[in-house]
Amino acid sequence: MCPQCRAFISTDDRVCPYCESEVGPRRINRPSPGDVFGGFIPHAHFVTVMILLVNTALYIVMTLVSMQSREGGSIMSLDIRTLVEFGAKAPQEIFLGGQWWRLVMAGFLHGGMWHILFNSVALFDIGAAAEEAYGASRFVTIYIATTITGFLVSLFFSPAISIGSSAPIFGLIGAMIALGTRYRTAMGSMIRSLYMKWAIFGLVFAFLMPGVDNYAHIGGIAGGFVIGYAAGVPGLLDTAIEKFWRAACWVSLGVTAYAFIMMIVGIFAQSR
């Protein structure tokens, strides 16, 4: 349909034969400016990029601290003491010290070069798709909330010290499965099938790898499914539901800021 005179025209027309107005290409045929190398590299949105930058900056700082530690850490593998100082999930510190902020902080820390590289690649891919589908407010809420649910499950089922962004990454996988489950269309079925494969592959791979905290992954994916199913996709109108998710986003950012502040305060307190 011509956007000017509303007459029916063919999909091949570039000029309306009735009013002679120029007709642009269909939306489905327009190249996306965000795609890199024709879409082989996904377009990571702002929030996903910021999380990747924060994770990388923290790893650089932790590496410098670990290399000066008596434990003898290196750029490839950080020592346990540094991980605990920066906010790893440590049951003793949480239960006895009341440092519940570690359930958030642990999701931004990584223990080695391969650890952060693997998680960054996964987040770059899955995060881009989840942020595109859910929008920034829901994405931030899901990411932080599933970090907490992931390490909360790990806290009660595993006494080991644990870190890594894989908990919220599995949370995003759970949210994408929920998206495909809630919207029963051909596209929804495809999304559900794709991310079910991600979940199965990730969990099986983690079970085969020594030292991987699969309890955090299970807690993350379960939390992501519940929150993602409840959230749905953003609406076109600024309704009360949209305002709720914006408020939830700000609460999530506030909780994250508190965790970072407590981490910094704890590091300075131990350095004295």
Side-chain angles (χ1 to χ4, degrees):
M1 183 178 287
C2 173
Q4 297 297 327
C5 68
R6 315 306 292 173
F8 287 103
I9 60 178
S10 74
T11 57
D12 295 326
D13 287 329
R14 291 295 171 262
V15 176
C16 176
Y18 301 100
C19 67
E20 298 184 352
S21 297
E22 186 176 353
V23 181
R26 295 181 300 165
R27 177 64 186 89
I28 194 172
N29 293 329
R30 297 176 193 168
S32 172
D35 291 338
V36 182
F37 292 118
F40 284 102
I41 299 178
H43 172 63
H45 290 266
F46 177 76
V47 178
T48 303
V49 171
M50 290 304 298
I51 293 172
L52 289 168
L53 290 175
V54 170
N55 289 349
T56 303
L58 270 173
Y59 184 75
I60 292 172
V61 173
M62 291 171 63
T63 299
L64 296 175
V65 173
S66 181
M67 292 174 68
Q68 297 176 356
S69 172
R70 296 177 182 177
E71 304 282 335
S74 67
I75 190 173
M76 298 302 297
S77 179
L78 279 59
D79 65 283
I80 297 297
R81 180 178 178 181
T82 300
L83 299 180
V84 174
E85 285 181 354
F86 276 79
K89 185 223 83 179
Q92 184 175 0
E93 302 292 339
I94 295 174
F95 286 126
L96 300 182
Q99 299 177 4
W100 293 92
W101 53 269
R102 290 177 176 272
L103 298 179
V104 175
M105 202 64 233
F108 292 91
L109 308 180
H110 295 85
M113 179 64 73
W114 291 114
H115 189 199
I116 190 171
L117 284 177
F118 184 84
N119 282 349
S120 294
V121 170
L123 178 58
F124 188 78
D125 189 351
I126 299 170
E131 190 175 351
E132 178 75 25
Y134 282 100
S137 296
R138 286 168 170 80
F139 178 83
V140 170
T141 304
I142 292 170
Y143 193 89
I144 301 303
T146 56
T147 301
I148 296 173
T149 61
F151 286 106
L152 190 62
V153 171
S154 173
L155 178 65
F156 286 101
F157 288 94
S158 173
I161 293 171
S162 180
I163 54 169
S165 59
S166 55
I169 289 172
F170 271 88
L172 297 178
I173 293 174
M176 294 302 286
I177 294 173
L179 182 70
T181 303
R182 176 168 173 168
Y183 299 98
R184 299 182 179 277
T185 62
M187 180 65 71
S189 178
M190 183 184 70
I191 292 173
R192 184 176 65 252
S193 175
L194 172 64
Y195 286 95
M196 281 293 295
K197 293 175 183 176
W198 265 98
I200 294 171
F201 171 78
L203 291 173
V204 170
F205 180 77
F207 271 118
L208 297 177
M209 293 292 291
V212 176
D213 187 357
N214 239 343
Y215 289 110
H217 298 167
I218 295 171
I221 201 170
F225 183 87
V226 172
I227 300 170
Y229 195 91
V233 296
L236 297 177
L237 301 177
D238 190 18
T239 61
I241 295 177
E242 298 308 312
K243 293 177 181 177
F244 168 80
W245 287 107
R246 283 202 298 271
C249 173
W250 283 109
V251 170
S252 300
L253 291 174
V255 170
T256 304
Y258 172 77
F260 272 78
I261 291 171
M262 294 304 296
M263 173 199 70
I264 295 171
V265 170
I267 291 174
F268 276 105
Q270 294 181 21
S271 63
R272 292 181 178 178

